[in-house]
Amino acid sequence: MATSETPAPKNHRFGFTSLVSAVNELTIVVGFVAISVFLAVTTPTFLTSANILSILLASSLIGIVAVGETFVIVTGGIDLSVGSVVAFTGVMAGLALNAHLPVPVAVLIGIGIGALSGAFIAFAVTMLNMSPFIVSLAVLAMARGLAFIVTNGNTIFSFPDAFDNIGGGNLGPFPVAALITLAVFLVAGLVLQRTVFGAEVYAVGGNRDAARLAGIPVTRTLACVYIISGALAGLGGVILAGRLDSAQPIAATGLELNAIAAVVIGGASLFGGKGSILGTLLGVLIIGLINNGLTLKNVQPFWVQFIQGAVIFGAVLIDSLNQKRRRT
């Protein structure tokens, strides 16, 4: 029998997991560099400042939504509603502007409605014990339907310049939307890696029952991550409406695929307990590079979805094999 003086056994599994995580992040970086070098060598216009800024602007919406998706996926959940929520919140912000409400109020309305959609999913998941996949799929349909209902299927135009600058303006040479996205990544990275809440998110994703026994507020943590995801989707809706100077009920169709792809490519596990904001940032940039590279090479846009799906399949397959190896 072990005594109080018996040294605690070393956790070799933790060391193996840390090593695998480091290797995965290095692989992502190598992949990002390889794609960049290939495009730089084969496409003369790739390294131009205009094209790089275009990549940053195009990636800003995916990035903001992917940050919220990261919190959800790390807990072992998923949020399929984000694309529809982006459209609905953009429409609601646009209607607020057309009602002559101040720009800050319209922005808060968009973010607030997004947060409410996340709270609805959280209630269904935590209180009604419903599957996050099914609930968020239902919200995807409901939010999209509401976007068409409140606009009667029409596009909303004519926003103030102050609102349009959020999504389409520049601060010096940099797109405002890209700077907002960078700020979101920095704050989210600090929250997930440097706060008690971040540790609780990982604990809930790693083993929900063990986290509950350890005194971690599992219900509150799950509610927070879905609210964060919804609020960031609302922010994305504001940015997209500002960039287009219009709010369209059909906007952001399929955005959830891009966001989930970025998170998974960034090394997050759909089984929960694994993922990082840095990895998601790299995943977003890789998605942006792929989309931009295919455009520069005049590849048919239909191939973009196929390639994204293939990359997701490969990333999930690798994650699944790693999970089986850890259990053995």
Side-chain angles (χ1 to χ4, degrees):
M1 179 180 296
T3 66
S4 59
E5 296 180 355
T6 303
K10 295 182 180 180
N11 193 339
H12 296 288
R13 184 177 296 271
F14 176 79
F16 173 75
T17 302
S18 300
L19 178 60
V20 170
S21 177
V23 170
N24 286 341
E25 290 184 358
L26 179 60
T27 302
I28 298 166
V29 173
V30 171
F32 173 76
V33 172
I35 294 172
S36 300
V37 171
F38 172 77
L39 291 175
V41 171
T42 60
T43 310
T45 58
F46 174 73
L47 287 180
T48 61
S49 58
N51 187 62
I52 292 173
L53 291 177
S54 176
I55 294 174
L56 293 177
L57 182 60
S59 300
S60 59
L61 176 60
I62 299 173
I64 287 175
V65 175
V67 167
E69 199 74 59
T70 302
F71 280 87
V72 173
I73 288 177
V74 168
T75 64
I78 197 164
D79 186 357
L80 298 174
S81 71
V82 288
S84 296
V85 171
V86 165
F88 180 51
T89 54
V91 161
M92 294 305 295
L95 290 175
L97 292 169
N98 281 359
H100 306 294
L101 293 178
V103 169
V105 174
V107 172
L108 290 176
I109 286 174
I111 296 174
I113 291 175
L116 286 175
S117 73
F120 178 80
I121 296 174
F123 174 79
V125 170
T126 60
M127 298 301 176
L128 304 180
N129 294 319
M130 296 178 68
S131 163
F133 180 90
I134 299 300
V135 174
S136 61
L137 186 62
V139 174
L140 177 152
M142 291 189 292
R144 185 70 66 180
L146 286 173
F148 279 97
I149 290 170
V150 298
T151 62
N152 199 27
N154 297 317
T155 299
I156 304 171
F157 296 99
S158 302
F159 301 146
D161 290 342
F163 182 81
D164 290 343
N165 286 336
I166 297 174
N170 292 319
L171 186 61
F174 302 104
V176 172
L179 295 175
I180 294 174
T181 304
L182 178 60
V184 169
F185 270 98
L186 290 174
V187 172
L190 290 174
V191 170
L192 200 55
Q193 299 293 335
R194 303 292 183 182
T195 67
V196 173
F197 172 71
E200 292 172 347
V201 169
Y202 281 106
V204 170
N207 189 319
R208 193 166 298 182
D209 292 332
R212 187 175 286 109
L213 291 174
I216 292 173
V218 174
T219 298
R220 186 186 70 188
T221 302
L222 289 174
C224 286
V225 299
Y226 284 103
I227 291 172
I228 289 171
S229 180
L232 290 176
L235 176 59
V238 169
I239 288 176
L240 182 60
R243 182 196 305 173
L244 301 177
D245 189 29
S246 64
Q248 306 171 14
I250 200 173
T253 300
L255 177 63
E256 59 279 350
L257 175 64
N258 284 309
I260 293 171
V263 178
V264 174
I265 291 170
S269 171
L270 291 176
F271 296 94
K274 177 185 171 187
S276 70
I277 297 299
L278 176 59
T280 296
L281 175 60
L282 291 170
V284 168
L285 292 176
I286 287 174
I287 291 290
L289 289 178
I290 292 173
N291 292 343
N292 181 259
L294 293 176
T295 300
L296 293 177
K297 290 183 173 297
N298 297 317
V299 177
Q300 290 184 346
F302 310 109
W303 281 101
V304 175
Q305 288 186 328
F306 174 82
I307 293 173
Q308 288 174 354
V311 170
I312 292 175
F313 177 82
V316 174
L317 176 62
I318 293 172
D319 181 44
S320 179
L321 294 175
N322 285 336
Q323 290 290 331
K324 290 181 180 180
R325 182 165 49 189
R326 292 189 189 105
R327 295 191 191 103
T328 59

